[in-house]
Amino acid sequence: EAQVTQNPRYLITVTGKKLTVTCSQNMNHEYMSWYRQDPGLGLRQIYYSMNVEVTDKGDVPEGYKVSRKEKRNFPLILESPSPNQTSLYFCASSGLGRAGYTFGSGTRLTVV
Amino acid sequence: GENVEQHPSTLSVQEGDSAVIKCTYSDSASNYFPWYKQELGKRPQLIIDIRSNVGEKKDQRIAVTLNKTAKHFSLHITETQPEDSAVYFCAASPPWGAGNKLTFGGGTRVLVKP
């Protein structure tokens, strides 16, 4: 089944403790992206990647890192999480020709 | 960069009536406009999209129209049903080579009353 898999689905952590949210897609998509969703603010792009070793900042990249060492994986790294990064995070992917994004199931992160 | 505005933020309709959601975009280079539906606690899912070389597209009870000159596009849902209740997002994207970045509108919460 074609899908984007995110882990974990839920995460509660403390301020300053490094964490990684994993994202993997099995559709051989070139493009992958991370979004955060906050009430009243819609979906805002954090980082995106056009292909392996090619990444760029989105609209809200501060406090986040990404890497794209393999085509299928695009982890999101929070080196020192803060409470304002409490949010619902979505990973998404799409292929050339753009049939639209396929989203992962989301990761609800709480930083206390 | 691109800015997408979406209206209304909430929409309540009676079952069987039509619902219309409107979006405007700022970047004239944008050429791909998808619409996503997000049910409570679920991921956004693509329901329909339109490219800038097309003015209108239909899929059963859903249609999307695009006015490139005015830089606005709309989602029309006819004969609404309770299962249409969800948050709907419009989005705009530049040509692939410019990054395939989707900029989303703020969302419209649609409630279909039985």
Side-chain angles (χ1 to χ4, degrees):
Chain A
E1 180 189 352
Q3 59 185 357
V4 177
T5 303
Q6 280 180 244
N7 280 296
R9 290 291 309 275
Y10 302 92
L11 179 59
I12 301 174
T13 190
V14 296
T15 299
K17 185 176 181 182
K18 181 179 179 180
L19 66 91
T20 299
V21 183
T22 63
C23 174
S24 180
Q25 50 92 6
N26 62 359
M27 296 166 281
N28 200 36
H29 281 168
E30 288 75 18
Y31 184 87
M32 298 185 75
S33 182
W34 278 101
Y35 282 83
R36 61 178 288 174
Q37 185 174 25
D38 302 290
L41 296 176
L43 289 150
R44 293 180 293 167
Q45 190 179 52
I46 303 170
Y47 269 94
Y48 66 94
S49 170
M50 295 290 287
N51 216 322
V52 176
E53 302 292 1
V54 181
T55 63
D56 208 347
K57 296 177 181 179
D59 297 317
V60 289
E62 294 78 20
Y64 304 95
K65 286 175 59 178
V66 293
S67 69
R68 187 92 181 271
K69 293 184 172 58
E70 304 165 285
K71 196 172 186 179
R72 63 185 297 128
N73 296 324
F74 190 45
L76 179 70
I77 303 156
L78 284 73
E79 294 271 4
S80 182
S82 62
N84 64 11
Q85 293 178 298
T86 292
S87 188
L88 177 59
Y89 292 86
F90 286 102
C91 180
S93 72
S94 72
L96 290 174
R98 282 182 309 182
Y101 284 11
T102 299
F103 281 86
S105 297
T107 296
R108 187 167 292 280
L109 172 66
T110 301
V111 184
V112 298
Chain B
E2 176 68 277
N3 182 50
V4 178
E5 295 192 356
Q6 184 172 346
H7 300 281
S9 57
T10 60
L11 180 59
S12 182
V13 297
Q14 208 66 39
E15 182 177 358
D17 288 350
S18 294
V20 180
I21 303 169
K22 298 182 179 182
C23 291
T24 60
Y25 62 99
S26 61
D27 188 351
S28 57
S30 290
N31 68 349
Y32 175 66
F33 307 91
W35 286 86
Y36 288 83
K37 175 183 180 182
Q38 187 178 27
E39 297 175 350
L40 191 62
K42 301 281 184 66
R43 75 191 80 189
Q45 294 202 297
L46 179 71
I47 55 172
I48 195 168
D49 57 12
I50 191 168
R51 299 180 191 274
S52 59
N53 58 346
V54 175
E56 183 175 359
K57 185 176 178 180
K58 286 184 179 179
D59 183 3
Q60 300 182 329
R61 296 186 296 108
I62 292 173
V64 58
T65 59
L66 171 66
N67 183 327
K68 282 180 57 182
T69 303
K71 288 190 280 189
H72 67 70
F73 56 114
S74 301
L75 178 72
H76 304 252
I77 307 173
T78 59
E79 299 173 21
T80 53
Q81 300 168 6
E83 54 263 38
D84 294 329
S85 294
V87 178
Y88 292 80
F89 291 96
C90 63
S93 175
W96 171 264
N100 197 36
K101 174 182 175 176
L102 272 183
T103 300
F104 286 85
T108 297
R109 185 173 299 278
V110 174
L111 175 63
V112 180
K113 295 181 287 187

